[in-house]
Amino acid sequence: MSEAVAHAHVHADAKGHDVHHPRLQHHFETMAQQKEASTLGMWVFLLTEVLFFGGLFFAYMVYRVWYFDAFAEASRTLDITLGALNTAVLIGSSLTMALGVRAAQTSQRSATVFWLILTILLGCVFLGVKVVEYADKFEHHHVPGPNFVWASEHEAAPAGEGAAAAGAEHAAPSNGAELQGLTQIYFSLYFTMTGLHALHMIVGVVLMSVIAWMAYKGRFDAHYYTPVEMAGLYWHFVDLVWIYLFPLLYLVERHN
Amino acid sequence: MSGHVSLKSVYYSIFGALMALTAITVFAAFVNLGNLNFPVAMAIATIKATLVVLFFMHVKYSSHLTKLVVATSLFFLVILLSETFMDYATRGLGPNLPLPLLH
């Protein structure tokens, strides 16, 4: 009996369209059920991603508590302007992504493609800024490994920034050899966390390119836009990770 | 079947709120709040994350099942963080255990 009811539901949904939407796979009763299954699967995947990044966040917290001064000092070498800019770029890309999903929901094909391409471009801007930041780290020998050199704040910090902080409250600088080791822990975590995040961004850009192509080919309509929405969930999740990475890595201790 | 379609103005408002909160978190970092700097930064980040999850990721309009999975991810994250933290926080309390790498 329930089967009959479900079947009637399929017909009721059609409203003049084909009884079976071409994208409705045979093992689903309705488009809504099919979408719900995809949404559930995507969120279970994101759950594993939460725990994946969660372990890294915990490692960061332990070392931050143990070696707070080294973390604060190392964090001050990051460019806060570039970090904040990238945060804004990523939030902007989440907006364009959300508008892309909305355009797909309302069967606006060219708008969907437009917003998705804008999302890809903003993702590329983010990665470009990251390249500039990484290059700066290589230049200053702040990449963990045999070439890592930690110069004290007075020499390393760009003029103005950090110089004041070095004076007053941080009057008792730890010895150089110790900081050489401890700041490497910070930068190891910095590169691991931002690197994995950037890897997710690269995957996201590739994913968005495929989805934009599918949208261009007219694969989606108001009844079937699940791939756009699922790709959107992934993109927003990557944005979420950065929302925590920015204060944790760039803003350890900025005040005097 | 098409799911909830949010107004464009909702997305623009959330975007504005996220940008404002980013500005606030940068500003707050330069103010000496003592021990509160870290909790404030994390609280702002969590507000931002909540806005993204509820509105951009449509969880506000999702099924109970989806909401349950989202809550489950937070539940397991709390277990991961709190139980590992208990390990690190209590090392060295046992009779013959070496002290942790504190200096």
Side-chain angles (χ1 to χ4, degrees):
Chain A
M1 193 177 80
S2 65
E3 204 179 315
V5 172
H7 225 78
H9 191 49
V10 174
H11 288 267
D13 272 344
K15 283 180 188 167
H17 295 280
D18 292 332
V19 170
H20 280 278
H21 191 283
R23 297 288 162 202
L24 178 62
Q25 295 173 81
H26 65 87
H27 48 285
F28 291 112
E29 296 276 1
T30 62
M31 293 301 280
Q33 185 196 40
Q34 178 173 272
K35 179 167 177 285
E36 181 65 17
S38 297
T39 307
L40 175 65
M42 193 65 201
W43 271 106
V44 170
F45 166 67
L46 292 182
L47 185 154
T48 69
E49 290 272 271
V50 166
L51 295 178
F52 175 54
F53 279 99
L56 280 170
F57 279 110
F58 187 81
Y60 168 90
M61 280 314 300
V62 168
Y63 284 112
R64 178 189 162 123
V65 170
W66 283 353
Y67 310 127
F68 181 80
D69 291 338
F71 268 48
E73 207 169 313
S75 158
R76 277 192 284 268
T77 65
L78 297 191
D79 190 329
I80 204 166
T81 315
L82 291 180
L85 170 71
N86 255 355
T87 308
V89 167
L90 219 46
I91 290 172
S93 79
S94 263
L95 172 68
T96 57
M97 185 70 235
L99 292 169
V101 172
R102 191 186 180 280
Q105 283 178 317
T106 49
S107 299
Q108 298 169 283
R109 188 180 130 236
S110 53
T112 309
V113 175
F114 170 77
W115 289 121
L116 288 177
I117 288 175
L118 207 54
T119 307
I120 292 167
L121 288 177
L122 287 170
C124 291
V125 169
F126 178 93
L127 288 168
V129 172
K130 215 70 218 145
V131 167
V132 171
E133 287 188 281
Y134 276 14
D136 182 70
K137 293 281 156 280
F138 276 93
E139 212 169 291
H140 286 87
H141 297 279
H142 282 170
V143 182
N147 291 323
F148 184 87
V149 178
W150 181 256
S152 82
E153 219 167 30
H154 313 273
E155 303 148 47
E161 190 196 347
E169 284 172 61
H170 305 271
S174 320
N175 68 68
E178 194 181 46
L179 274 182
Q180 167 84 9
L182 298 184
T183 50
Q184 261 189 95
I185 297 177
Y186 170 85
F187 283 111
S188 300
L189 284 162
Y190 168 80
F191 278 104
T192 309
M193 296 170 95
T194 60
L196 272 174
H197 179 266
L199 188 64
H200 276 78
M201 290 290 296
I202 293 166
V203 170
V205 166
V206 173
L207 182 65
M208 283 314 152
S209 308
V210 175
I211 299 292
W213 177 252
M214 287 168 79
Y216 174 71
K217 285 291 189 182
R219 298 276 192 90
F220 309 121
D221 58 46
H223 299 281
Y224 178 73
Y225 55 87
T226 307
V228 189
E229 176 140 24
M230 297 308 112
L233 288 180
Y234 176 85
W235 192 269
H236 295 310
F237 172 80
V238 178
D239 184 18
L240 274 189
V241 173
W242 184 260
I243 283 175
Y244 282 96
L245 282 181
F246 173 60
L248 287 177
L249 293 172
Y250 290 74
L251 309 174
V252 174
E253 191 185 50
R254 288 285 177 170
H255 58 81
N256 291 332
Chain B
M1 177 160 68
S2 304
H4 178 89
V5 180
S6 302
L7 291 172
K8 276 187 185 179
S9 59
V10 171
Y11 289 137
Y12 288 120
S13 311
I14 297 298
F15 171 74
L18 291 171
M19 294 299 262
L21 286 165
T22 303
I24 292 170
T25 198
V26 172
F27 174 76
F30 285 94
V31 180
N32 190 348
L33 302 171
N35 289 331
L36 285 177
N37 272 96
F38 181 68
V40 165
M42 286 301 98
I44 294 173
T46 303
I47 294 170
K48 288 165 74 179
T50 308
L51 289 176
V52 170
V53 168
L54 286 183
F55 295 98
F56 282 174
M57 298 172 96
H58 298 157
V59 168
K60 189 175 191 294
Y61 315 103
S62 293
S63 65
H64 290 303
L65 183 60
T66 303
K67 284 176 179 152
L68 184 65
V69 175
V70 177
T72 305
S73 76
L74 292 177
F75 177 69
F76 278 104
L77 181 66
V78 168
I79 287 183
L80 171 74
L81 299 180
S82 63
E83 306 229 333
T84 323
F85 173 75
M86 278 194 273
D87 171 25
Y88 277 94
T90 55
R91 282 189 187 189
L93 291 183
N96 295 313
L97 293 172
L99 286 168
L101 288 168
L102 285 168
H103 62 287

